[in-house]
Amino acid sequence: MRILYRGPLASCNYDCPYCPFAKRRDPPEVLRADRAALERFVGWIEAHPGEPTEVLFTPWGEGLTRSWYRTALTRLSHLPHVGRAAIQTNLAGRLGWVTDADPGTLALWCTFHPGQVSLERFLRQAATLHRHGIRHSVGVVGLPGHHADAVALRSALPSDVYVWINAADGHTYTPQEEAAWTAIDPLFGYSVRPHRSLGRSCRTGDEVISVLGDGTVRRCHFVPEPLGNLYDGTWRPTTAPCPKQECDCHIGYVHLRTLPLYEVFAGGVLERVPHDLPLWSVPQAVLGEEPVRRRVEEASLADGAPVTEVVSLL
């Protein structure tokens, strides 16, 4: 069973203009409720050792700035029946805690947000994960103003770190733009167009479920009809086909049986890590473009050593 968990938390330390939850502040009572809900969920996982489970936390806000998410991931990572304990994160928080987790189970789905954090700081955080052997993917929202940063990111990271690109909501890509983003992420084509899902077979509802803080079970984050509750034993799996016309988010369409993505991401479905790495080779023609070349040259650490050299040594 793969579980996508989302509690009440909706606050974030960033104010990205493309995110509706940017810089939102949760009042203390919401934070207390989120912590209690998460502890209840982890307790449920611990109490069901006979059920092999993988977990991905998909908070609306940033979870790793909250101690209870770090504790939950660490606890889950050491449970023998948990194959993966992962979270979506902007990677802004301190990472010393990862040394307490099992690196064979812990995984991070990391998003780089240009304008919110320097490329240099983000790369240092990613280098920490790489040094400790923590599985992770890294990605960027594919807005035009992000392209040079995305190429610099791809150029600086080790070849065994997948850099994904999410198509920006509401943005239409020309063939030239799609080609430019595909040069960074060969799988970008899956993100740039929605996938027909109505009446088609999907693993959600059976092999994959979405769980809210109060225990409500849904087949996925995008189908609101409940299947019951995780805690009172009322939820029942469904193998019914998808009721939505289209699916345009990776955490949804990756589970469609009509797509080959379970083979592409075998062993790394939740954290978005492809089975075969590397997938890419950024063309020298792209690296030679003036804005991109300048951004790559600027990507240096505080001591002056090029990021590409430092990261490659880890």
Side-chain angles (χ1 to χ4, degrees):
M1 176 68 71
R2 293 185 168 99
I3 301 177
L4 278 60
Y5 175 88
R6 178 174 288 163
L9 184 76
S11 54
C12 186
N13 54 317
Y14 285 176
D15 60 353
C16 305
Y18 43 85
C19 177
F21 294 91
K23 282 294 186 185
R24 175 170 169 174
R25 297 188 61 147
D26 285 323
E29 59 270 22
V30 171
L31 294 178
R32 287 193 294 268
D34 184 71
R35 183 170 191 163
L38 183 59
E39 290 177 350
R40 184 185 188 190
F41 174 72
V42 173
W44 186 90
I45 297 292
E46 290 175 329
H48 290 78
E51 300 181 22
T53 305
E54 295 184 356
V55 177
L56 172 64
F57 295 127
T58 61
W60 283 122
E62 174 53 38
L64 289 186
T65 58
R66 309 295 177 181
S67 63
W68 49 96
Y69 282 90
R70 302 191 295 268
T71 298
L73 286 163
T74 302
R75 284 169 60 186
L76 290 173
S77 77
H78 290 290
L79 296 178
H81 66 291
V82 173
R84 188 73 71 231
I87 190 171
Q88 294 179 321
T89 175
N90 62 25
L91 210 58
R94 295 179 180 179
L95 294 174
W97 63 275
V98 302
T99 61
D100 296 324
D102 183 343
T105 304
L106 178 66
L108 274 64
W109 166 328
C110 312
T111 304
F112 171 51
H113 297 283
Q116 303 297 311
V117 62
S118 70
L119 178 61
E120 295 74 27
R121 173 173 169 74
F122 187 87
L123 286 170
R124 286 196 293 270
Q125 294 287 84
T128 297
L129 298 179
H130 201 266
R131 184 168 64 250
H132 290 293
I134 306 301
R135 289 173 59 87
H136 62 288
S137 65
V138 172
V140 179
V141 176
L143 291 166
H146 291 176
H147 187 260
D149 285 289
V151 173
L153 181 71
R154 171 66 279 163
S155 301
L157 287 169
S159 62
D160 61 349
V161 176
Y162 172 49
V163 174
W164 47 265
I165 305 297
N166 273 351
D169 287 343
H171 184 77
T172 301
Y173 293 84
T174 67
Q176 293 76 19
E177 288 175 325
E178 183 175 345
W181 288 112
T182 303
I184 302 170
D185 175 10
L187 302 176
F188 179 63
Y190 287 105
S191 179
V192 76
R193 280 170 289 277
H195 300 276
R196 180 172 175 80
S197 55
L198 182 64
R200 301 195 174 185
S201 179
C202 184
R203 296 174 179 86
T204 60
D206 182 18
E207 298 177 28
V208 185
I209 58 173
S210 166
V211 176
L212 302 183
D214 64 359
T216 297
V217 176
R218 297 173 176 173
R219 66 178 300 154
C220 74
H221 285 330
F222 313 103
V223 178
E225 288 75 19
L227 300 178
N229 191 281
L230 187 71
Y231 303 129
D232 65 12
T234 58
W235 95 271
R236 296 291 181 271
T238 178
T239 57
C242 180
K244 289 186 65 67
Q245 191 70 36
E246 295 179 332
C247 189
D248 63 357
C249 183
H250 179 88
I251 59 174
Y253 65 69
V254 71
H255 305 295
L256 282 170
R257 289 193 174 91
T258 52
L259 297 178
L261 294 179
Y262 262 52
E263 289 72 33
V264 172
F265 292 97
V269 169
L270 292 188
E271 64 271 27
R272 202 171 180 174
V273 173
H275 182 266
D276 295 318
L277 296 169
L279 293 177
W280 49 81
S281 177
V282 179
Q284 289 300 312
V286 174
L287 290 174
E289 295 175 4
E290 178 59 27
V292 172
R293 185 171 63 253
R294 188 183 315 118
R295 194 68 190 92
V296 173
E297 291 170 351
E298 290 171 354
S300 59
L301 296 178
D303 62 4
V307 171
T308 49
E309 293 180 10
V310 173
V311 175
S312 67
L313 293 175
L314 298 177

